[in-house]
Amino acid sequence: MQPTADQRRWMYRHMVLSRYLEERIEALYMEGKTPVFNMAKGPIPGEMHLSNGQEPCAVGVCAHLSADDIVTATHRPHHIAVAKGVDLDAMVAEIFGKATGLAGGRGGHMHLFDAAVNFSCSGIIGEGLGPAVGAALSRKLQGKSGVAVAFMGEGAANQGAFHEALNLAAVWQLPVVFVIEDNAWGISVAKQASTAVPRNDLRAAAYGIPGHHVADNDVEGVFAAAGEAIARAREGQGPSLIEIETARLAGHFMGDGEDYRPKGEKEGLQARDPIPRYRQALLDAGVLDEAGNAALVAEAHARVEAAIRFAQQSEFLPPEAALEQVFAGESS
């Protein structure tokens, strides 16, 4: 399956948008956190997990989805949220903890939720697998269209929830696609030190479902594999599993010293940054020219800056709002 010229430009545009968003978040996040790193300080307190380098995983899959399709993502969710069409103003406001955020500032960057486009994510490893299977089951029982896609890191494939989800999805032949973003590191643990098989797509055979492997962070390789898996799900043929070799260009979280990486690894990954590579491929193919690229980049930068201004100018919830939207028993 080959993308059209419009689809190729769409994927590149959203990769650029996601990357610039994270570059700006990185700079803003570090305000007030130096010279001694303190994640409680600055305009964006708490942990921050950047997805730069993993953009091909998001755009290659989401190019096949509509707002009606369900996506569950991970604690490293920005690229997927951007590609799924999550409201950027409300997303950035949520990251800043503002009242205009997706959850009124209560969730932060690991707990983004946008019902308008059926997107959610969680800070718990493997948490989105069960909900994605449940959403797919709901659609099937109600006779409604739509597929569910569960994104996860390669470390989540060693969780019990992964195997339970694949088993039930296969038993019930559900319209769900499982996407593993293999960046080779579960926090600071190398994949080969924690996983019994070299590739997790091989595990699909244990559940009688197709397994796809995409090498080298290949945008159009992801597009092709996802297109096949999503079409299969839409046709009622059941689930599929995709593992994508991708790259985490930053640490596990902002402030991570990354001492666990072998010498030269990070530099090698940065040399194969997927965005410059894909830009050059589009230029070479005549899908994009230099003027068009400059306009696309400028548009993406302007959109991000507008979202940041919106977030910065928004108010925080009042303290008494801490008692709202929580479960409580009846008063005696």
Side-chain angles (χ1 to χ4, degrees):
M1 178 181 290
Q2 294 294 319
T4 65
D6 284 345
Q7 287 172 322
R8 297 176 89 181
R9 284 188 290 267
W10 182 94
M11 290 191 289
Y12 176 62
R13 180 181 302 111
H14 284 78
M15 290 171 71
V16 170
L17 182 63
S18 177
R19 178 65 63 86
Y20 186 65
L21 170 66
E22 292 209 318
E23 288 174 351
R24 293 291 287 119
I25 287 175
E26 181 176 8
L28 292 162
Y29 178 82
M30 291 305 296
E31 288 183 7
K33 292 184 173 69
T34 56
V36 178
F37 181 75
N38 183 341
M39 69 171 59
K41 301 293 186 180
I44 307 176
E47 283 194 308
M48 179 58 62
H49 307 83
L50 300 180
S51 59
N52 45 19
Q54 299 184 197
E55 297 92 349
C57 307
V59 299
V61 173
C62 291
H64 299 282
L65 303 178
S66 73
D68 291 333
D69 295 313
I70 301 104
V71 164
T72 62
T74 71
H75 60 282
R76 197 179 308 282
H78 302 153
H79 57 318
I80 306 168
V82 166
K84 189 60 168 72
V86 170
D87 184 289
L88 197 65
D89 288 349
M91 174 180 163
V92 176
E94 185 63 30
I95 292 170
F96 274 77
K98 297 297 184 72
T100 52
L102 292 166
R106 296 177 176 88
H109 101 102
M110 289 189 284
H111 304 98
L112 305 172
F113 178 78
D114 190 348
V117 295
N118 287 294
F119 176 88
S120 64
C121 61
S122 172
I124 305 301
I125 303 303
E127 188 279 335
L129 297 167
V133 170
L137 176 61
S138 173
R139 293 293 176 91
K140 183 171 183 176
L141 291 176
Q142 295 179 77
K144 293 182 178 180
S145 61
V147 302
V149 177
F151 285 86
M152 73 204 85
E154 82 288 341
N158 295 326
Q159 295 269 5
F162 171 81
H163 300 278
E164 293 173 8
L166 264 66
N167 183 63
L168 283 178
V171 169
W172 293 332
Q173 287 294 284
L174 298 180
V176 58
V177 177
F178 302 97
V179 179
I180 300 173
E181 299 180 90
D182 175 15
N183 63 27
W185 292 98
I187 307 180
S188 59
V189 178
K191 180 182 180 182
Q192 64 266 26
S194 64
T195 305
V197 291
R199 289 172 23 194
N200 284 303
D201 60 292
L202 301 174
R203 289 172 154 170
Y207 301 100
I209 66 175
H212 305 268
H213 181 257
V214 181
D216 199 28
N217 219 6
D218 180 3
V219 179
E220 296 189 12
V222 177
F223 179 89
E228 181 179 338
I230 291 168
R232 184 175 183 275
R234 294 197 195 283
E235 293 164 3
Q237 297 181 39
S240 300
L241 174 65
I242 304 170
E243 180 164 83
I244 304 161
E245 287 182 6
T246 189
R248 194 187 76 198
L249 299 182
H252 170 65
F253 61 91
M254 288 289 298
D256 180 3
E258 302 183 74
D259 295 337
Y260 47 85
R261 287 192 192 263
K263 186 177 180 180
E265 178 187 274
K266 190 169 182 177
E267 293 75 14
L269 294 175
Q270 290 170 337
R272 295 191 60 73
D273 186 326
I275 294 181
R277 288 170 59 198
Y278 198 48
R279 176 177 64 243
Q280 191 59 53
L282 298 190
L283 290 170
D284 291 346
V287 174
L288 190 69
D289 58 25
E290 292 292 355
N293 178 64
L296 183 153
V297 170
E299 180 184 357
H301 287 197
R303 181 66 192 92
V304 169
E305 294 299 340
I308 290 171
R309 285 194 300 273
F310 174 80
Q312 291 174 327
Q313 293 167 6
S314 295
E315 301 292 333
F316 290 103
L317 287 173
E320 56 269 23
L323 301 178
E324 297 172 358
Q325 300 185 19
V326 296
F327 294 103
E330 295 182 4
S331 59
S332 55

